[in-house]
Amino acid sequence: MDFPLEPRQGRLSILAGRVTRRVASLSATVSSYSLPRFGSLAFVIVAGAVVYGVILGGHTDDVLDGVGQPLGFSIDKVTVHGNSETSEIDVLQALWQTGSTTLLSLDPTDARQTLEAMPWIDRASVSKIFPDRVDIDLDEHRPYAIWQSDRSFYVVNRLGKTIVPYVPGRFDALPVVVGEGAAKTAAGIIDDMEGFPELRARVKAYIRVGGRRWDLELKNGVLIRLPEDKPLEALAEVVKMDRQNPLLERDIAAVDMRLSDRVVVQLTEGSASRRKERLAERAKLIKRLGKDKPV
């Protein structure tokens, strides 16, 4: 029964086969000389034992590097393309982590996997250009949004993959998404907001609620609660109301669009208190006017 080999194990097995075949060929040459048959057999056994010991001991790369350096196969040049956020120094350090110093021992698959484990690198390709050069092409993640999870902030790509922790500065202009699952679903609502540029410019954060719908927190603190179904229609209605009679600049806390038959406007605590006082004064005035009315 055949068992799948790990990439490195496969390379070692191929190497072992090649070396063994060379040893066998050499033994055939040796056997053509006037040596006892026992001597040829002993030569094959000893050589095979050496090859097996090298592979079993994990010294194959050392042997290949030892052979490759005198032959001029040392890695002397490394070209890096496609890097913006990843420095060439970091790429070189990752390449040296593979432990290879010559093209003979460098495994492109191992090098690629090492590079793709770095924070900014999405995909990498590694090519060996004999006798002494390595070409590396990188595709980096593109920052799309800042995701807030509890009290932590991260820069994420369009698919919601975490790239690096967020540090105030370069990425401040990215939209902020908040809540569990927000990073992976934010592209939909952010793309939809392209149709409402005047409202989009006023959004401070997109808040994911219950994994089902979105709230928009504006820069002035007003919260727009969108419905789970037909959120674009709700956004269009908010924009229409704001154009007709500036709504979002008023002293309100929230505009609730979750009910299909009505819009609920929530006042701020101060605004609600002032409204209550005005209503009380109006009631007193009406009562007083009623008393003064002639019979």
Side-chain angles (χ1 to χ4, degrees):
M1 181 176 181
D2 295 331
F3 293 91
L5 296 174
E6 295 293 330
R8 190 172 185 82
Q9 291 176 332
R11 187 165 67 89
L12 294 180
S13 298
I14 293 172
L15 176 63
R18 290 176 179 174
V19 175
T20 303
R21 286 195 296 272
R22 291 181 182 179
V23 171
S25 176
L26 181 60
S27 67
T29 302
V30 172
S31 63
S32 65
Y33 295 103
S34 57
L35 294 175
R37 291 187 177 183
F38 177 78
S40 298
L41 180 60
F43 180 82
V44 172
I45 294 174
V46 172
V50 171
V51 172
Y52 180 76
V54 168
I55 296 174
L56 187 64
H59 302 297
T60 308
D61 287 348
D62 295 335
V63 173
L64 290 175
D65 287 339
V67 172
Q69 287 175 359
L71 296 178
F73 295 134
S74 297
I75 300 175
D76 291 334
K77 302 173 186 176
V78 178
T79 58
V80 182
H81 307 280
N83 60 310
S84 176
E85 302 296 335
T86 308
S87 70
E88 292 186 1
I89 296 298
D90 290 338
V91 173
L92 291 176
Q93 289 178 345
L95 186 62
W96 303 144
Q97 286 177 12
T98 63
S100 299
T101 60
T102 69
L103 293 186
L104 295 183
S105 65
L106 179 64
D107 185 336
T109 300
D110 286 349
R112 175 181 60 79
Q113 293 174 347
T114 299
L115 291 169
E116 290 179 353
M118 299 175 69
W120 279 101
I121 297 178
D122 184 17
R123 290 183 298 273
S125 65
V126 180
S127 302
K128 300 194 292 185
I129 311 298
F130 283 91
D132 59 0
R133 192 172 92 237
V134 177
D135 280 356
I136 297 176
D137 288 307
L138 303 177
D139 287 329
E140 294 184 327
H141 296 290
R142 295 185 179 181
Y144 184 76
I146 298 170
W147 173 44
Q148 178 183 352
S149 178
D150 295 327
R151 296 184 179 181
S152 300
F153 294 81
Y154 306 93
V155 178
V156 298
N157 67 7
R158 181 180 176 85
L159 299 178
K161 176 179 173 57
T162 299
I163 303 175
V164 291
Y166 164 71
V167 177
R170 290 183 53 208
F171 303 110
D172 291 351
L174 293 177
V176 177
V177 298
V178 183
E180 188 69 26
K184 295 183 178 180
T185 55
I189 185 66
I190 293 175
D191 288 350
D192 290 341
M193 290 297 292
E194 292 284 352
F196 309 96
E198 66 271 37
L199 181 58
R200 181 180 182 178
R202 301 161 73 175
V203 174
K204 178 182 178 181
Y206 300 84
I207 304 172
R208 190 67 169 164
V209 181
R212 298 178 296 104
R213 63 174 196 86
W214 293 94
D215 284 349
L216 308 185
E217 181 184 352
L218 304 187
K219 294 175 182 178
N220 63 355
V222 175
L223 196 67
I224 301 176
R225 295 190 174 99
L226 297 177
E228 181 179 357
D229 299 323
K230 301 180 179 180
L232 292 183
E233 294 183 9
L235 282 171
E237 184 65 22
V238 171
V239 171
K240 180 181 178 181
M241 290 188 298
D242 191 57
R243 287 174 178 172
Q244 293 175 344
N245 187 5
L247 171 67
L248 301 177
E249 293 298 331
R250 295 187 179 186
D251 190 12
I252 60 176
V255 179
D256 196 337
M257 304 296 296
R258 291 176 295 175
L259 300 177
S260 60
D261 59 344
R262 74 194 69 151
V263 176
V264 179
V265 177
Q266 178 184 347
L267 302 176
T268 63
E269 186 175 342
S271 179
S273 178
R274 289 191 296 272
R275 183 174 185 275
K276 185 176 180 180
E277 291 176 358
R278 287 196 299 270
L279 290 176
E281 291 176 359
R282 182 182 178 187
K284 290 179 182 179
L285 179 59
I286 293 174
K287 185 176 181 180
R288 185 168 61 250
L289 291 175
K291 288 183 178 180
D292 296 338
K293 185 177 180 180
V295 179

